[in-house]
Protein backbone atom coordinates (compact mmCIF):
# COMPACT_ATOMS: atom_id res chain seq x y z
CA UNK A 1 0.00 0.00 0.00
CA UNK A 2 2.87 2.35 0.85
CA UNK A 3 4.48 1.77 -2.54
CA UNK A 4 1.14 2.32 -4.30
CA UNK A 5 0.69 5.60 -2.44
CA UNK A 6 4.09 6.71 -3.75
CA UNK A 7 3.78 5.39 -7.31
CA UNK A 8 0.35 7.02 -7.70
CA UNK A 9 1.94 10.40 -6.85
CA UNK A 10 -0.23 10.83 -3.75
CA UNK A 11 2.79 11.33 -1.49
CA UNK A 12 4.63 13.83 -3.65
CA UNK A 13 6.35 16.14 -1.16
CA UNK A 14 6.96 18.73 -3.87
CA UNK A 15 3.21 19.34 -3.54
CA UNK A 16 2.75 19.51 0.27
CA UNK A 17 -0.97 20.38 0.00
CA UNK A 18 -1.51 17.03 -1.66
CA UNK A 19 0.25 15.24 1.22
CA UNK A 20 -1.69 17.23 3.85
CA UNK A 21 -5.03 16.42 2.22
CA UNK A 22 -3.94 12.77 1.81
CA UNK A 23 -3.21 12.74 5.55
CA UNK A 24 -6.66 14.14 6.36
CA UNK A 25 -8.48 11.79 4.00
CA UNK A 26 -6.52 8.69 5.10
CA UNK A 27 -7.31 9.53 8.73
CA UNK A 28 -10.99 9.97 7.90
CA UNK A 29 -11.06 6.30 6.95
CA UNK A 30 -8.13 4.45 8.54
CA UNK A 31 -5.58 6.57 10.45
CA UNK A 32 -3.22 3.70 11.31
CA UNK A 33 -2.90 2.49 7.75
CA UNK A 34 -2.61 6.02 6.36
CA UNK A 35 0.03 6.94 8.89
CA UNK A 36 2.09 3.85 8.17
CA UNK A 37 2.34 5.08 4.53
CA UNK A 38 2.82 8.81 5.10
CA UNK A 39 5.06 8.47 8.16
CA UNK A 40 7.52 6.47 6.04
CA UNK A 41 8.83 9.96 5.13
CA UNK A 42 8.85 11.14 8.74
CA UNK A 43 11.51 13.78 9.37
CA UNK A 44 12.21 14.50 5.69
CA UNK A 45 11.84 18.25 6.24
CA UNK A 46 14.97 18.08 8.44
CA UNK A 47 17.09 17.09 5.43
CA UNK A 48 15.18 19.32 3.03
CA UNK A 49 15.98 22.36 5.19
CA UNK A 50 19.29 21.54 6.82
CA UNK A 51 20.87 18.55 5.03
CA UNK A 52 23.79 18.54 2.60
CA UNK A 53 23.36 17.69 -1.08
CA UNK A 54 25.12 14.36 -0.46
CA UNK A 55 22.76 13.51 2.43
CA UNK A 56 19.72 14.44 0.36
CA UNK A 57 20.89 12.24 -2.49
CA UNK A 58 21.76 9.27 -0.27
CA UNK A 59 18.83 9.35 2.16
CA UNK A 60 16.11 11.77 1.10
CA UNK A 61 15.78 10.79 -2.57
CA UNK A 62 15.09 7.06 -1.84
CA UNK A 63 12.57 8.04 0.85
CA UNK A 64 10.75 10.28 -1.64
CA UNK A 65 10.58 7.33 -4.07
CA UNK A 66 9.12 5.08 -1.37
CA UNK A 67 12.25 2.91 -1.38
CA UNK A 68 13.50 3.79 2.12
CA UNK A 69 11.77 4.51 5.43
CA UNK A 70 12.91 7.23 7.82
CA UNK A 71 12.24 7.84 11.53
CA UNK A 72 12.76 10.65 14.02
CA UNK A 73 14.39 9.65 17.31
CA UNK A 74 13.98 12.51 19.78
CA UNK A 75 11.92 11.21 22.75
CA UNK A 76 13.80 9.46 25.55
CA UNK A 77 12.53 7.31 28.44
CA UNK A 78 12.99 10.32 30.76
CA UNK A 79 10.30 12.27 28.85
CA UNK A 80 9.46 13.63 25.42
CA UNK A 81 8.27 17.13 26.24
CA UNK A 82 11.63 18.23 27.56
CA UNK A 83 13.49 17.99 24.24
CA UNK A 84 16.46 20.00 25.55
CA UNK A 85 16.87 17.43 28.33
CA UNK A 86 17.97 14.68 25.90
CA UNK A 87 20.60 12.49 27.55
CA UNK A 88 21.86 10.60 24.50
CA UNK A 89 25.42 11.59 23.68
CA UNK A 90 27.54 11.80 20.56
CA UNK A 91 31.18 11.92 21.52
CA UNK A 92 33.67 13.22 18.99
CA UNK A 93 36.24 10.70 17.72
CA UNK A 94 38.50 10.89 14.65
CA UNK A 95 36.30 10.81 11.53
CA UNK A 96 32.98 11.25 13.35
CA UNK A 97 31.20 10.43 16.59
CA UNK A 98 30.30 7.59 18.94
CA UNK A 99 26.59 7.59 19.82
CA UNK A 100 25.18 6.19 23.08
CA UNK A 101 21.63 6.52 24.34
CA UNK A 102 18.09 5.28 24.41
CA UNK A 103 15.06 6.57 22.53
CA UNK A 104 11.43 5.79 23.30
CA UNK A 105 8.14 5.55 21.30
CA UNK A 106 9.92 5.84 17.95
CA UNK A 107 7.51 5.59 15.01
CA UNK A 108 8.94 3.19 12.37
CA UNK A 109 11.56 2.18 14.96
CA UNK A 110 11.90 -1.45 13.82
CA UNK A 111 11.24 -0.86 10.11
CA UNK A 112 13.12 2.38 9.36
CA UNK A 113 16.26 2.31 7.24
CA UNK A 114 17.61 5.25 9.22
CA UNK A 115 16.82 7.61 12.09
CA UNK A 116 17.30 11.34 12.61
CA UNK A 117 18.78 11.16 16.10
CA UNK A 118 18.99 14.07 18.53
CA UNK A 119 21.95 13.75 20.90
CA UNK A 120 24.23 15.93 22.97
CA UNK A 121 27.60 16.76 21.41
CA UNK A 122 28.73 19.18 24.11
CA UNK A 123 27.64 19.93 27.69
CA UNK A 124 25.42 22.99 28.19
CA UNK A 125 27.09 26.20 29.41
CA UNK A 126 24.31 26.62 31.99
CA UNK A 127 20.95 24.99 32.87
CA UNK A 128 19.16 27.85 31.05
CA UNK A 129 21.09 27.11 27.86
CA UNK A 130 20.46 23.37 27.75
CA UNK A 131 19.06 23.67 24.24
CA UNK A 132 22.59 24.42 23.03
CA UNK A 133 25.09 21.63 22.38
CA UNK A 134 22.54 19.22 20.87
CA UNK A 135 23.05 17.88 17.36
CA UNK A 136 21.15 15.79 14.81
CA UNK A 137 22.76 12.87 12.98
CA UNK A 138 21.53 10.33 10.47
CA UNK A 139 22.00 6.85 11.95
CA UNK A 140 21.29 3.71 9.95
CA UNK A 141 19.36 0.94 11.67
CA UNK A 142 21.67 -1.79 10.32
CA UNK A 143 24.79 -0.27 11.93
CA UNK A 144 26.48 -2.19 14.77
CA UNK A 145 25.24 -1.12 18.20
CA UNK A 146 21.69 -0.22 17.09
CA UNK A 147 18.87 -2.29 18.63
CA UNK A 148 15.17 -1.66 18.02
CA UNK A 149 12.47 -3.38 20.07
CA UNK A 150 8.83 -3.17 19.03
CA UNK A 151 6.40 -1.79 21.62
CA UNK A 152 3.02 -3.52 21.69
CA UNK A 153 -0.42 -2.81 23.11
CA UNK A 154 -0.85 0.83 22.07
CA UNK A 155 -4.26 2.44 22.58
CA UNK A 156 -4.57 3.41 18.91
CA UNK A 157 -2.65 3.75 15.62
CA UNK A 158 -1.81 0.08 15.93
CA UNK A 159 -0.95 -0.28 12.24
CA UNK A 160 2.06 1.99 12.80
CA UNK A 161 5.29 0.59 14.16
CA UNK A 162 6.43 2.04 17.51
CA UNK A 163 9.70 1.00 19.15
CA UNK A 164 12.31 1.56 21.77
CA UNK A 165 15.67 2.14 20.07
CA UNK A 166 19.05 1.74 21.80
CA UNK A 167 22.36 3.06 20.58
CA UNK A 168 25.41 1.44 22.16
CA UNK A 169 28.80 2.66 20.94
CA UNK A 170 27.45 3.36 17.45
CA UNK A 171 30.06 4.84 15.08
CA UNK A 172 28.53 7.75 13.18
CA UNK A 173 30.63 9.12 10.32
CA UNK A 174 31.25 12.87 10.22
CA UNK A 175 29.29 13.22 6.97
CA UNK A 176 26.13 12.02 8.73
CA UNK A 177 25.96 15.04 11.02
CA UNK A 178 23.04 17.17 9.82
CA UNK A 179 23.88 20.85 9.41
CA UNK A 180 26.06 22.36 12.12
CA UNK A 181 27.12 20.74 15.36
CA UNK A 182 25.20 22.15 18.34
CA UNK A 183 22.18 23.35 16.36
CA UNK A 184 20.10 20.18 16.70
CA UNK A 185 17.51 21.64 19.06
CA UNK A 186 16.77 24.43 16.58
CA UNK A 187 16.50 21.91 13.71
CA UNK A 188 14.08 19.68 15.64
CA UNK A 189 11.92 22.62 16.75
CA UNK A 190 11.78 23.90 13.17
CA UNK A 191 10.71 20.42 12.10
CA UNK A 192 8.00 20.22 14.79
CA UNK A 193 6.70 23.61 13.70
CA UNK A 194 6.01 21.98 10.34
CA UNK A 195 5.05 18.43 11.35
CA UNK A 196 2.47 19.61 13.90
CA UNK A 197 0.26 20.85 11.09
CA UNK A 198 0.14 17.28 9.72
CA UNK A 199 -0.97 16.06 13.16
CA UNK A 200 -3.69 18.73 13.06
CA UNK A 201 -4.76 17.30 9.69
CA UNK A 202 -4.83 13.79 11.26
CA UNK A 203 -7.17 15.09 13.96
CA UNK A 204 -9.44 16.85 11.46
CA UNK A 205 -9.65 13.65 9.38
CA UNK A 206 -10.45 11.49 12.42
CA UNK A 207 -13.18 13.91 13.62
CA UNK A 208 -14.69 14.07 10.13
CA UNK A 209 -14.58 10.26 9.88
CA UNK A 210 -16.50 9.96 13.15
CA UNK A 211 -19.16 12.42 11.98
CA UNK A 212 -19.45 10.45 8.70
CA UNK A 213 -20.07 7.29 10.73
CA UNK A 214 -22.64 9.06 12.89
CA UNK A 215 -24.50 10.37 9.81
CA UNK A 216 -24.57 6.85 8.36
CA UNK A 217 -25.83 5.51 11.69
CA UNK A 218 -28.64 8.12 11.79
CA UNK A 219 -29.65 7.29 8.20
CA UNK A 220 -29.79 3.59 9.04
CA UNK A 221 -31.81 4.22 12.16
CA UNK A 222 -34.21 6.95 11.04
CA UNK A 223 -34.26 6.58 7.26
CA UNK A 224 -35.83 9.67 5.68
CA UNK A 225 -37.34 10.82 9.01
CA UNK A 226 -35.44 13.58 10.86
CA UNK A 227 -33.47 12.23 13.86
CA UNK A 228 -34.17 13.58 17.39
CA UNK A 229 -33.14 17.17 18.06
CA UNK A 230 -30.25 16.03 20.27
CA UNK A 231 -28.76 14.12 17.31
CA UNK A 232 -29.20 17.13 15.02
CA UNK A 233 -27.42 19.34 17.57
CA UNK A 234 -24.54 16.88 17.98
CA UNK A 235 -24.00 16.76 14.24
CA UNK A 236 -24.34 20.55 13.79
CA UNK A 237 -21.97 21.35 16.67
CA UNK A 238 -19.50 18.67 15.57
CA UNK A 239 -19.35 19.79 11.95
CA UNK A 240 -18.97 23.45 12.99
CA UNK A 241 -15.99 22.60 15.19
CA UNK A 242 -14.42 20.32 12.57
CA UNK A 243 -14.75 23.07 9.98
CA UNK A 244 -13.14 25.60 12.38
CA UNK A 245 -10.29 23.15 13.09
CA UNK A 246 -9.86 22.51 9.36
CA UNK A 247 -9.66 26.24 8.56
CA UNK A 248 -7.10 26.78 11.33
CA UNK A 249 -5.08 23.85 10.02
CA UNK A 250 -5.19 25.08 6.41
CA UNK A 251 -4.27 28.63 7.50
CA UNK A 252 -1.23 27.35 9.43
CA UNK A 253 -0.33 25.05 6.53
CA UNK A 254 -0.59 27.81 3.94
CA UNK A 255 1.96 29.90 5.87
CA UNK A 256 4.28 26.91 6.27
CA UNK A 257 4.05 26.06 2.58
CA UNK A 258 4.90 29.70 1.74
CA UNK A 259 8.01 29.35 3.97
CA UNK A 260 6.49 31.81 6.48
CA UNK A 261 5.63 29.42 9.35
CA UNK A 262 3.78 30.84 12.34
CA UNK A 263 4.59 28.54 15.31
CA UNK A 264 1.73 29.97 17.40
CA UNK A 265 -0.82 29.32 14.67
CA UNK A 266 0.58 25.83 14.04
CA UNK A 267 0.32 25.00 17.75
CA UNK A 268 -3.21 26.44 17.85
CA UNK A 269 -4.18 24.21 14.92
CA UNK A 270 -2.71 21.07 16.52
CA UNK A 271 -4.09 21.80 19.98
CA UNK A 272 -7.56 22.74 18.78
CA UNK A 273 -7.94 20.03 16.13
CA UNK A 274 -6.82 17.35 18.61
CA UNK A 275 -9.30 18.64 21.19
CA UNK A 276 -12.11 18.63 18.60
CA UNK A 277 -11.23 15.09 17.48
CA UNK A 278 -11.44 13.80 21.05
CA UNK A 279 -14.60 15.75 21.88
CA UNK A 280 -16.33 14.53 18.71
CA UNK A 281 -15.15 10.98 19.45
CA UNK A 282 -16.66 11.09 22.96
CA UNK A 283 -19.95 12.53 21.70
CA UNK A 284 -20.37 10.19 18.74
CA UNK A 285 -19.50 7.03 20.68
CA UNK A 286 -21.98 7.97 23.40
CA UNK A 287 -24.72 8.83 20.87
CA UNK A 288 -24.28 5.63 18.87
CA UNK A 289 -24.74 3.51 21.99
CA UNK A 290 -23.76 -0.12 21.66
CA UNK A 291 -22.99 0.30 17.94
CA UNK A 292 -20.41 2.93 18.84
CA UNK A 293 -18.42 0.44 20.86
CA UNK A 294 -17.74 -1.78 17.86
CA UNK A 295 -16.14 -1.46 14.45
CA UNK A 296 -14.76 1.70 12.92
CA UNK A 297 -16.14 4.20 15.44
CA UNK A 298 -14.41 2.40 18.30
CA UNK A 299 -11.15 2.38 16.32
CA UNK A 300 -11.32 6.09 15.43
CA UNK A 301 -12.08 6.85 19.09
CA UNK A 302 -8.84 5.12 20.12
CA UNK A 303 -6.86 6.68 17.25
CA UNK A 304 -7.97 10.21 18.23
CA UNK A 305 -6.12 10.22 21.57
CA UNK A 306 -2.59 10.23 20.19
CA UNK A 307 -3.16 13.53 18.36
CA UNK A 308 -3.15 15.17 21.81
CA UNK A 309 0.22 13.63 22.62
CA UNK A 310 2.69 13.13 19.78
CA UNK A 311 4.87 15.89 18.45
CA UNK A 312 4.00 17.99 21.47
CA UNK A 313 1.27 17.38 24.01
CA UNK A 314 -1.66 19.81 24.22
CA UNK A 315 -0.01 21.38 27.29
CA UNK A 316 3.18 22.00 25.32
CA UNK A 317 1.19 23.50 22.43
CA UNK A 318 -0.48 25.90 24.86
CA UNK A 319 2.92 26.90 26.27
CA UNK A 320 4.16 27.58 22.71
CA UNK A 321 1.09 29.71 21.96
CA UNK A 322 1.53 31.70 25.17
CA UNK A 323 5.28 32.22 24.64
CA UNK A 324 4.84 33.27 21.03
CA UNK A 325 2.10 35.73 21.94
CA UNK A 326 4.06 37.30 24.79
CA UNK A 327 7.14 37.50 22.53
CA UNK A 328 5.10 39.36 19.93
CA UNK A 329 3.61 41.76 22.44
CA UNK A 330 7.09 42.30 23.89
CA UNK A 331 5.99 41.51 27.46
C1 LIG B 1 2.47 6.08 19.33
C2 LIG B 1 3.54 7.09 19.59
C3 LIG B 1 4.45 7.40 18.58
C4 LIG B 1 5.48 8.31 18.81
N1 LIG B 1 6.41 8.56 17.83
C5 LIG B 1 7.52 9.30 18.12
C6 LIG B 1 8.60 9.42 17.17
O1 LIG B 1 8.54 8.93 16.05
N2 LIG B 1 9.71 10.10 17.55
C7 LIG B 1 9.84 10.67 18.78
O2 LIG B 1 10.88 11.24 19.05
N3 LIG B 1 8.84 10.58 19.69
C8 LIG B 1 7.69 9.91 19.39
N4 LIG B 1 6.67 9.78 20.31
C9 LIG B 1 6.81 10.42 21.60
C10 LIG B 1 5.90 11.61 21.80
O3 LIG B 1 6.35 12.69 21.02
C11 LIG B 1 5.90 11.89 23.29
O4 LIG B 1 5.08 10.89 23.89
C12 LIG B 1 5.39 13.26 23.65
O5 LIG B 1 6.30 14.23 23.24
C13 LIG B 1 5.17 13.39 25.15
O6 LIG B 1 6.28 12.94 25.84
P1 LIG B 1 6.12 11.86 27.02
O7 LIG B 1 5.18 10.83 26.59
O8 LIG B 1 7.47 11.45 27.45
O9 LIG B 1 5.41 12.67 28.18
P2 LIG B 1 6.07 13.71 29.16
O10 LIG B 1 6.89 14.68 28.43
O11 LIG B 1 6.71 12.96 30.27
O12 LIG B 1 4.78 14.46 29.70
C14 LIG B 1 3.86 13.83 30.61
C15 LIG B 1 2.75 14.81 30.93
O13 LIG B 1 3.30 15.99 31.51
C16 LIG B 1 2.91 17.14 30.76
N5 LIG B 1 4.04 18.08 30.72
C17 LIG B 1 5.33 17.81 30.44
N6 LIG B 1 6.07 18.94 30.50
C18 LIG B 1 5.20 19.94 30.79
C19 LIG B 1 5.37 21.35 30.99
N7 LIG B 1 6.57 21.96 30.87
N8 LIG B 1 4.26 22.07 31.31
C20 LIG B 1 3.05 21.49 31.42
N9 LIG B 1 2.84 20.16 31.27
C21 LIG B 1 3.90 19.40 30.95
C22 LIG B 1 2.61 16.64 29.37
O14 LIG B 1 1.73 17.50 28.69
C23 LIG B 1 1.99 15.28 29.67
O15 LIG B 1 0.63 15.46 30.00
C24 LIG B 1 5.59 8.94 20.08
C25 LIG B 1 4.65 8.65 21.07
C26 LIG B 1 3.65 7.75 20.85
C27 LIG B 1 2.70 7.43 21.98
Amino acid sequence: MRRRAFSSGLLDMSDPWKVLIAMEEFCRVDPGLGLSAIASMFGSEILMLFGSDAQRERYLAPVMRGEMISAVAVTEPTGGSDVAGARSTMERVPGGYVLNGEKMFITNGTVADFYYVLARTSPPDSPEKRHRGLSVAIVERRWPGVTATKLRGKLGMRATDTAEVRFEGVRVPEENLVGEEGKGFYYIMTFFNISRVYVAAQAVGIAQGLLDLYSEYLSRRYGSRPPPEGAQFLLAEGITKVEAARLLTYRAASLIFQFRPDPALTSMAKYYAAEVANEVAQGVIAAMGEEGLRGRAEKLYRDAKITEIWEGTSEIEKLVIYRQLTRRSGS
Side-chain angles (χ1 to χ4, degrees):
M1 186 204 122
R2 184 171 61 85
R3 283 182 188 271
R4 269 224 348 248
F6 276 98
S7 62
S8 66
L10 195 62
L11 304 185
D12 175 5
M13 280 288 267
S14 65
D15 184 355
W17 277 113
K18 208 193 272 185
V19 181
L20 190 89
I21 302 299
M23 179 72 93
E24 185 182 325
E25 289 298 313
F26 265 132
C27 287
R28 188 173 177 176
V29 182
D30 192 325
L33 211 55
L35 253 288
S36 65
I38 299 180
S40 66
M41 318 188 269
F42 196 36
S44 291
E45 291 86 352
I46 297 171
L47 273 198
M48 285 175 188
L49 293 171
F50 307 113
S52 66
D53 287 345
Q55 288 168 345
R56 288 194 199 110
E57 193 177 322
R58 176 151 182 205
Y59 294 105
L60 190 60
V63 166
M64 293 295 128
R65 292 193 297 266
E67 294 164 3
M68 268 194 182
I69 295 176
S70 55
V72 176
V74 171
T75 304
E76 302 198 349
T78 46
S81 302
D82 183 19
V83 174
R87 294 182 186 180
S88 295
T89 56
M90 281 209 306
E91 204 181 311
R92 245 198 187 284
V93 291
Y97 302 87
V98 172
L99 169 66
N100 282 291
E102 200 179 334
K103 297 289 179 178
M104 201 59 178
F105 303 129
I106 304 308
T107 299
N108 297 333
T110 71
V111 296
D113 294 282
F114 64 90
Y115 313 97
Y116 298 102
V117 180
L118 182 76
R120 188 159 284 288
T121 38
S122 59
D125 299 337
S126 66
E128 298 76 45
K129 294 187 175 156
R130 285 181 318 145
H131 57 288
R132 296 196 186 152
L134 291 161
S135 302
V136 172
I138 303 165
V139 178
E140 297 188 18
R141 182 166 61 88
R142 63 186 172 89
W143 286 350
V146 179
T147 323
T149 311
K150 197 177 176 78
L151 298 171
R152 295 180 192 278
K154 294 199 299 270
L155 176 70
M157 299 288 186
R158 290 189 175 168
T160 62
D161 178 71
T162 313
E164 178 186 348
V165 184
R166 280 174 171 274
F167 302 104
E168 289 168 304
V170 180
R171 288 293 303 245
V172 181
E174 179 97 52
E175 62 266 25
N176 276 37
L177 179 77
V178 176
E180 286 177 48
E181 195 181 287
K183 293 211 168 157
F185 181 82
Y186 164 71
Y187 298 156
I188 292 299
M189 287 303 135
T190 305
F191 167 63
F192 282 155
N193 281 331
I194 299 171
S195 66
R196 282 171 181 163
V197 86
Y198 289 95
V199 180
Q202 288 163 21
V204 169
I206 291 171
Q208 183 66 61
L210 280 153
L211 292 176
D212 294 345
L213 290 176
Y214 188 49
S215 299
E216 288 162 21
Y217 164 83
L218 292 176
S219 300
R220 269 198 313 280
R221 187 145 181 184
Y222 298 100
S224 55
R225 284 176 295 132
E229 199 175 69
Q232 296 178 28
F233 283 3
L234 182 65
L235 214 47
E237 287 165 17
I239 202 66
T240 305
K241 288 178 184 175
V242 171
E243 198 55 31
R246 183 179 283 121
L247 290 174
L248 202 48
T249 302
Y250 290 178
R251 171 90 181 115
S254 88
L255 291 174
I256 289 169
F257 299 159
Q258 294 170 57
F259 303 101
R260 294 191 294 129
D262 179 338
L265 202 62
T266 307
S267 286
M268 285 178 206
K270 183 189 178 291
Y271 154 60
Y272 184 68
E275 187 174 84
V276 168
N278 282 278
E279 192 186 320
V280 166
Q282 292 272 359
V284 165
I285 291 280
M288 284 173 70
E290 185 267 343
E291 243 195 81
L293 300 176
R294 296 183 276 128
R296 284 185 47 221
E298 176 272 342
K299 185 175 177 303
L300 288 177
Y301 175 85
R302 288 186 289 104
D303 289 340
K305 190 62 200 171
I306 191 66
T307 62
E308 289 186 328
I309 299 173
W310 58 18
E311 281 154 90
T313 64
S314 294
E315 288 74 27
I316 297 302
E317 302 311 333
K318 285 185 259 187
L319 290 177
V320 172
I321 296 163
Y322 175 78
R323 281 186 201 137
Q324 290 286 328
L325 295 182
T326 47
R327 194 174 293 173
R328 276 178 213 172
S329 64
S331 51

